[in-house]
Amino acid sequence: MQAVRPFNFSAGPAALPHEVLSLVAEEMLDWHGSGMSVMEMSHRGREFISIYEAAEADLRELLQVPPNFRILFMQGGGLGENAIVPMNLSGGGAVDVVVTGSWSKKSAGEARRYADVRIAADSATLNADQRHLDIPDASTWQLRKDAAYVHVCTNETIDGIEFQTLPDLKALGCDAPLVIDFSSHVASRPVEWSKVGVAFAGAQKNIGPAGLTLVIVREDLLGRALPICPSAFDYKIVAEAESMFNTPPTFGIYVAGLVFQWLKRFEYAGKTGLAAIEQRNIDKATLLYQALDDSSLYENRVAAHCRSRMNVPFFLRDERLNDAFLAGAKERGLLQLKGHKSVGGMRASIYNAIPLEGVQALVSYLKDFENRHG
Ligand SMILES: *Cc1c(COP(=O)(O)O)cnc(C)c1O
């Protein structure tokens, strides 16, 4: 019997699948008869190498990562990558960034320390109050011929904006590789690899514990690092050492590997694996946005075509009700709904691990609260 746990809508570190947490607990003291916890194993030993190889192969299969891309398990998080990417790819030259929210804005700021950064487009210029509520049409992006790469954040965790398809830089007349920060929607939907040069993600939103950073890099982009790039962050060195140049975040890789296995066998609506989790994510998001749009108390202001399936910020039209809303939610076992401090209001993060029942419970609470206070 699994104990009933509350639904956790944290933006990150975020909920993990119950099944995975139970298995981690079961295997904590003795992994597969080895007499050791995964935390206590040499990263070069037979046991851990088998965990690492399975995690890599399962992720490759799950996300259909083509053979000319390398999968790196690194450290440093999404913010670390904001420096590691320009150190690896910019050559100190031109970098174009499309700003669609808080995270891409941060990425642009950090890259400025290493490269000549230009904002190719900024969604805050699209409305009078300078909010990030939409994605500027790709035809308006100011891309430079000599850009070393173009950076976009494909799911803005704070603003709740998601690219539903990736920009096709070639079609825009730009030969630069596309770098995507997909931290907060990795493994929630397929990736169009033909449009991507580098994809990076901190693990703590959708695939495992904080401390593990996933980098998936096209092979021809290896070997371009600036001399100031630390060896442990040089993609070529890390790729050549199979992510073992230094000790990788072993426990994080193990938990992520269990999440990949959970995703591979996941079934929903007659589908299996990534197609199944994507369908459930679509159904969860549709249900929640519908409830917000149907209400006169709540609102989400993001343009319909780019609303995030993972992070749903919303406001109570009467902000004086915020504290009562959060207290009532907690009483019902609906945790961590408070919005990011830079945006205010509420935010429900409905990552892969949140079941449909979690969103149904949230929607039912939204309606009850509105009936009492609306
Ligand atoms: C959370 C997040 C990050 C930051 O990750 P850290 O691990 O805290 O450095 C970067 N980008 C996006 C899109 C995120 O959601």
Side-chain angles (χ1 to χ4, degrees):
M1 260 301 284
Q2 294 193 334
V4 178
R5 301 173 78 228
F7 294 114
N8 175 2
F9 298 95
S10 169
L16 286 168
H18 196 142
E19 238 180 280
V20 168
L21 292 176
S22 300
L23 194 55
V24 170
E26 236 172 75
E27 297 181 339
M28 184 61 74
L29 299 184
D30 180 6
W31 183 83
H32 293 203
S34 65
M36 296 178 277
S37 168
V38 176
M39 274 184 266
E40 304 171 303
M41 288 174 183
S42 162
H43 57 297
R44 303 194 191 278
R46 183 171 49 85
E47 292 91 349
F48 185 75
I49 295 289
S50 75
I51 290 171
Y52 165 86
E53 285 177 348
E56 209 229 291
D58 286 338
L59 179 64
R60 193 175 281 281
E61 187 187 327
L62 190 68
L63 293 189
Q64 299 279 296
V65 180
N68 65 325
F69 281 76
R70 300 295 301 265
I71 296 178
L72 313 179
F73 293 108
M74 299 177 64
Q75 309 191 45
L79 287 179
E81 286 304 318
N82 282 347
I84 295 166
V85 169
M87 280 195 280
N88 272 279
L89 296 187
S90 74
V95 167
D96 291 339
V97 179
V98 178
V99 173
T100 51
S102 307
W103 285 114
S104 45
K105 200 171 169 183
K106 258 196 184 158
S107 300
E110 185 74 5
R112 272 203 184 94
R113 304 175 58 170
Y114 307 96
D116 164 27
V117 172
R118 194 166 82 174
I119 307 301
D122 186 343
S123 56
T125 64
L126 298 176
N127 60 81
D129 29 339
Q130 309 251 302
R131 291 190 177 276
H132 296 289
L133 301 170
D134 204 345
I135 297 173
D137 194 87
S139 65
T140 67
W141 297 1
Q142 304 284 312
L143 301 172
R144 285 174 291 184
K145 280 267 169 283
D146 61 341
Y149 66 91
V150 177
H151 176 109
V152 301
C153 174
T154 46
N155 186 66
E156 290 280 3
T157 322
I158 292 173
D159 307 273
I161 292 171
E162 183 172 15
F163 281 74
Q164 301 303 330
T165 67
L166 295 181
D168 186 348
L169 295 184
K170 279 226 164 57
L172 296 170
C174 173
D175 289 326
L178 179 70
V179 172
I180 64 171
D181 174 357
F182 71 155
S183 293
S184 52
H185 70 165
V186 55
S188 71
R189 60 190 302 155
V191 176
E192 303 159 90
W193 291 109
S194 64
K195 297 174 175 174
V196 173
V198 175
F200 70 82
Q204 72 271 24
K205 311 291 165 57
N206 226 355
I207 55 179
L212 166 65
T213 312
L214 182 67
V215 176
I216 305 181
V217 50
R218 217 173 60 206
E219 249 159 14
D220 62 288
L221 299 174
L222 300 173
R224 300 184 181 190
L226 292 170
I228 54 160
C229 182
S231 304
F233 294 145
D234 180 328
Y235 293 154
K236 179 162 194 263
I237 292 174
V238 177
E240 278 172 355
E242 305 282 339
S243 299
M244 305 269 178
F245 170 75
N246 62 336
T247 312
T250 52
F251 195 74
I253 292 170
Y254 156 68
V255 177
L258 295 179
V259 170
F260 301 151
Q261 284 168 18
W262 174 78
L263 283 168
K264 273 177 61 178
R265 60 175 186 267
F266 188 79
E267 289 184 359
Y268 180 83
K271 301 176 179 180
T272 309
L274 197 63
I277 202 78
E278 181 183 31
Q279 187 60 53
R280 191 172 77 166
N281 288 332
I282 291 170
D283 291 353
K284 281 153 50 188
T286 304
L287 181 65
L288 182 51
Y289 284 113
Q290 193 65 55
L292 296 171
D293 290 346
D294 286 348
S295 120
S296 51
L297 177 61
Y298 312 105
E299 66 171 334
N300 168 288
R301 295 171 54 197
V302 175
H305 72 99
C306 59
R307 282 173 159 183
S308 170
R309 294 173 184 169
M310 298 278 102
N311 309 97
V312 183
F314 62 94
F315 297 90
L316 276 63
R317 287 178 207 264
D318 181 354
E319 299 249 283
R320 288 169 304 179
L321 294 173
N322 282 358
D323 289 344
F325 178 87
L326 288 167
K330 194 166 177 202
E331 239 165 68
R332 287 227 200 167
L334 307 170
L335 306 183
Q336 307 208 63
L337 284 164
K338 192 172 175 161
H340 189 272
K341 58 183 187 303
S342 67
V343 175
M346 307 296 153
R347 173 174 48 170
S349 294
I350 48 175
Y351 296 122
N352 284 349
I354 302 286
L356 185 61
E357 293 73 21
V359 176
Q360 287 165 338
L362 174 59
V363 164
S364 142
Y365 174 64
L366 289 171
K367 289 185 178 152
D368 288 356
F369 187 84
E370 181 166 5
N371 286 340
R372 273 185 286 130
H373 296 95

